Amino acid sequence: MTPEKDPKIIAARLCEFVRTNFVAEGVDFNENGPLSEAGIDSFALVELVLFCERVLGVRVPDSQLTSANLASISSLASCIAELAHTAHKTA
Amino acid sequence: MLVIGGGAAGVAAATAAGRAGARVILLERYGFLGGLATTAEVGTICGLYLRDTVATSATPVTGGFPMEFAGRLQQSSHTKPLCMNGGLWVLPYFPTDFARLADAIISEIKEVELILHTVVASVRAEDSRIIEVCSLAWNEQLQIHPSVVVDCTGEATAAALGGAAAENGAMDQSPALVFVLENVDPGLAKRGLLEVRRELRQAVQRGSLPALCERLSLIPGSGANGSFAFKLSLLPAKATTAFWQQLTHWEREARALLEPLVRFLTIQVAACRNARLVSVAPQLGIRSGRRILGRSRLTDDAVLSLRKSPVGIARGSWPMERWSDNPKPEMTYFAERGYYDLPFDCLRPVELDNTFAAGRCLSATTGAMTSARVIGTAMATGWAAGTAAAFRASGRSLEEAIALIRKQME
C-alpha cells in the first residue's frame, strides 16, 4: 500500500472515522478541536491509531504516541504525513 | 459492641465508637486492616472531593473522619489529590501505608480491641436483636455477645445471617485484579498506555492472547517512578453460579492470565522490555456484593437529583460508575460540585434493632450503590454507623447521634 502523504486528505479521513465511530450526535467536532473534548479516551485513541495503520498504511512508532501528536486530528494528520514522507524517502 | 470487618467502613466505625466512649471489638478476616483498599490494592480513594473541572485544588465533600484519614494518608504516602478526566478528584495512596495508618488510628483508642484473622460463621438473633456472633478466630471458635453490631463486611454477612432481608448485588459489577510491574518506562503513563493497548488489541484479534487481556487499565497516580499498578477487569458474574464458585473461578482465571500477559508485554512493548511483575493483590477487588434492604433505600433518583435529607449522615460525591461487559466503566454524572445525602435509615435493617450496616452493604439500589460504594463514602457511612452504635449501646437516643454526626460533617 502507498501511504497517503497529504495532511489535508489524511485529516479528512480521520475526521470521518472519528465522527462515525466516537463522536456523539450533536457534539461540535472539527479537526482542530481537542480530541479529549470530543469524548475520545485512550480506548478510542487506540482505534484511531490502528485505523491509521490499517487504512493509511503508516505505522506510528511508540515514540510518536505523544499527547502533542494526539491532541487533535490536525496534529495527528501532520504526524502521519511526516511519517509517510520519511517512510517514502527511506524506501 | 462489635464491628465486623476492618475495611474503610469498619475502621471508621470502630474509631467513631471508641472515641464516643464505647468498648469495641473489631473483627478482621486478614492479618492487617484496610479491607479492599489494602487486600485488593485499589490504589485511589474516590468520594472524598467534589467533582470539578475548573478548580486547581480539590474541595472536600465533607469534614470529619474521612478528611482526617485522608490528611494523614497524604503525609505517609507522600501523595496529593489528583484530578482525572471529567473533573474527578481522587487521592492516590500506597496500600501498605493505608494498612499502617488504619492500624495506628485503631491503636490510639484503648477502647477498641482488634482481633485479626477472624471470620463470622454464624449469628443468633432473638426479639429483633443480634445476641450472639460465633466466629472462627484463626483456629478457635470465639463467641461474642454484643449489645450492638455494626456490619462492615461488604457482604452484609452478619445482618443476613441474623435474619435481615438483603439483596444480592454480586452480578451488578465486574471485579478486577491489581498487579504491579516495576522497571517500566514512566512515559507510558503519559501516553495513557496507548502502545500497550495497541499491541493487546492486535494480539487479541490474532487470537494469541485471551480477550480479557484487553481489559487492562492503569491505577491513576501510579507510574511516575516506573512502578506501574495495573488493574485487570474481569467479566460480571453469571446468574447461574453460586457467588463462592464464581469467585474461585475469577481468582484462578485472572491470576493464570498474568504470566502470559506480562511475558507478552516484555516482548512486544518497548516501554515494558525490562518490566518485572513484583506483586499481585492478595484478593480480587469485588465492586458489588450483598446489601441490606433497610428502613430506607438510597435510590438512583436521589443520587442523580442530589437529594438532601434532614437525617443525612454522609455525603456522596462520586458519579455512578458501573463496570460491566465493557473494558471501561459506564459513568453517569450529576452536576459538578454537587453531592447527595445518605439518609440514616439506609444503615438500618428493618428486622434488627441493634444492628447497623455501613460501607458497601448499606441499603441502596443497584445504580445508587455504583456511586455510594467508594472508599471515601464508605468511611463516612462507617463513621456514622459507629457513632450511632455507641449512642445506642450507652442508651442515648439516635436523634442525638444523628445531630452529632451532621455537626461533624460541616
Side-chain angles (χ1 to χ4, degrees):
Chain A
M1 185 190 328
T2 310
E4 177 57 59
K5 294 189 209 58
D6 183 341
K8 280 195 181 131
I9 296 176
I10 295 172
R13 298 196 66 178
L14 291 177
C15 270
E16 187 193 342
F17 178 75
V18 167
R19 276 207 192 91
T20 313
N21 291 285
F22 304 120
V23 180
E25 226 166 285
V27 173
D28 186 25
F29 175 75
N30 67 63
E31 62 179 73
N32 297 312
L35 286 175
S36 55
E37 283 176 22
I40 309 293
D41 59 16
S42 66
F43 287 89
L45 276 180
V46 170
E47 300 299 334
L48 190 57
V49 170
L50 290 173
F51 174 82
C52 295
E53 296 177 5
R54 198 172 58 242
V55 179
L56 302 172
V58 174
R59 169 152 175 111
V60 188
D62 292 357
S63 60
Q64 296 293 318
L65 295 172
T66 59
S67 47
N69 281 342
L70 295 162
S72 65
I73 289 296
S74 59
S75 61
L76 179 59
S78 309
C79 165
I80 299 291
E82 184 70 24
L83 289 166
H85 270 292
T86 315
H88 183 67
K89 272 188 217 156
T90 313
Chain B
M1 51 168 281
L2 176 64
V3 177
I4 307 172
V11 167
T15 304
R19 287 189 190 166
R23 283 187 48 236
V24 184
I25 292 176
L26 171 60
L27 304 183
E28 163 55 38
R29 71 160 72 188
Y30 286 98
F32 50 90
L33 293 170
L36 292 180
T38 54
T39 61
E41 301 181 2
V42 174
T44 52
I45 302 186
C46 305
L48 289 173
Y49 312 105
L50 299 174
R51 186 166 79 89
D52 197 324
T53 51
V54 182
T56 51
S57 63
T59 310
V61 64
T62 185
F65 185 73
M67 294 322 297
E68 176 192 334
F69 191 93
R72 291 176 68 172
L73 188 59
Q74 269 177 259
Q75 283 179 356
S76 52
S77 259
H78 302 291
T79 56
K80 55 182 185 184
L82 178 77
C83 188
M84 307 193 305
N85 284 346
L88 291 171
W89 288 85
V90 300
L91 180 64
Y93 66 90
F94 293 107
T96 45
D97 292 328
F98 194 111
R100 200 166 50 225
L101 174 60
D103 200 272
I105 286 173
I106 291 298
S107 306
E108 288 160 10
I109 309 163
K110 62 179 190 321
E111 287 82 1
V112 180
E113 181 184 0
L114 169 64
I115 309 176
L116 296 173
H117 288 303
T118 300
V119 290
V120 169
S122 69
V123 168
R124 201 150 62 90
E126 272 177 20
D127 300 329
S128 304
R129 297 170 59 81
I130 289 182
I131 56 164
E132 183 182 71
V133 173
C134 298
S135 61
L136 187 63
W138 189 245
N139 64 357
E140 282 187 46
Q141 277 190 29
L142 188 65
Q143 256 95 22
I144 299 165
H145 298 94
S147 58
V148 186
V149 175
V150 184
D151 187 331
C152 299
T153 58
E155 295 288 338
T157 304
L161 290 175
E167 62 183 322
N168 177 13
M171 279 160 305
D172 297 348
Q173 299 231 50
S174 66
L177 182 65
V178 171
F179 61 97
V180 177
L181 295 187
E182 279 189 356
N183 281 343
V184 178
D185 169 11
L188 182 61
K190 288 193 200 83
R191 298 190 290 273
L193 298 189
L194 214 51
E195 62 256 46
V196 167
R197 291 201 203 290
R198 169 168 69 180
E199 297 303 331
L200 289 176
R201 159 54 56 96
Q202 289 172 322
V204 167
Q205 281 174 347
R206 284 196 305 272
S208 52
L209 278 178
L212 269 183
C213 291
E214 268 202 272
R215 302 168 66 85
L216 193 67
S217 50
L218 184 64
I219 307 264
S222 91
N225 55 0
S227 177
F228 278 61
F230 288 100
K231 180 165 69 179
L232 183 67
S233 287
L234 307 181
L235 291 165
K238 298 182 189 78
T240 49
T241 316
F243 195 59
W244 51 268
Q245 287 174 313
Q246 178 71 60
L247 201 51
T248 303
H249 171 73
W250 270 335
E251 291 275 14
R252 299 181 74 191
E253 181 186 39
R255 287 166 200 282
L257 270 184
L258 292 188
E259 197 274 327
L261 174 60
V262 174
R263 184 157 34 92
F264 174 85
L265 293 177
T266 55
I267 294 169
Q268 297 294 332
V269 180
C272 298
R273 188 161 295 145
N274 300 312
R276 217 174 45 236
L277 178 64
V278 289
S279 76
V280 185
Q283 194 199 295
L284 279 180
I286 304 296
R287 294 190 172 98
S288 183
R290 181 169 53 193
R291 48 186 184 258
I292 62 163
L293 288 163
R295 298 177 194 208
S296 174
R297 197 163 179 235
L298 184 69
T299 61
D300 294 29
D301 183 48
V303 168
L304 295 175
S305 63
L306 304 177
R307 193 173 299 158
K308 307 298 189 288
S309 161
V311 289
I313 46 72
R315 294 169 181 165
S317 62
W318 196 251
M320 290 184 183
E321 177 189 339
R322 189 166 193 179
W323 291 77
S324 186
D325 292 320
N326 286 330
K328 57 184 177 181
E330 296 155 36
M331 307 296 288
T332 310
Y333 294 101
F334 42 77
E336 277 191 50
R337 297 188 69 82
Y339 68 86
Y340 58 88
D341 279 349
L342 287 106
F344 179 64
D345 276 351
C346 292
L347 311 179
R348 303 187 70 199
V350 176
E351 300 82 356
L352 298 167
D353 285 333
N354 72 335
T355 302
F356 302 89
R360 206 181 65 194
C361 53
L362 58 74
S363 182
T365 57
T366 296
M369 186 49 77
T370 64
S371 162
R373 69 186 179 83
V374 295
I375 295 172
T377 313
M379 263 184 206
T381 59
W383 178 268
T387 305
F391 273 60
R392 169 130 292 184
S394 63
R396 283 173 287 174
S397 77
L398 292 178
E399 288 71 26
E400 271 181 276
I402 294 168
L404 175 64
I405 296 159
R406 288 175 62 80
K407 204 171 142 206
Q408 289 165 334
M409 289 189 331
E410 294 308 325

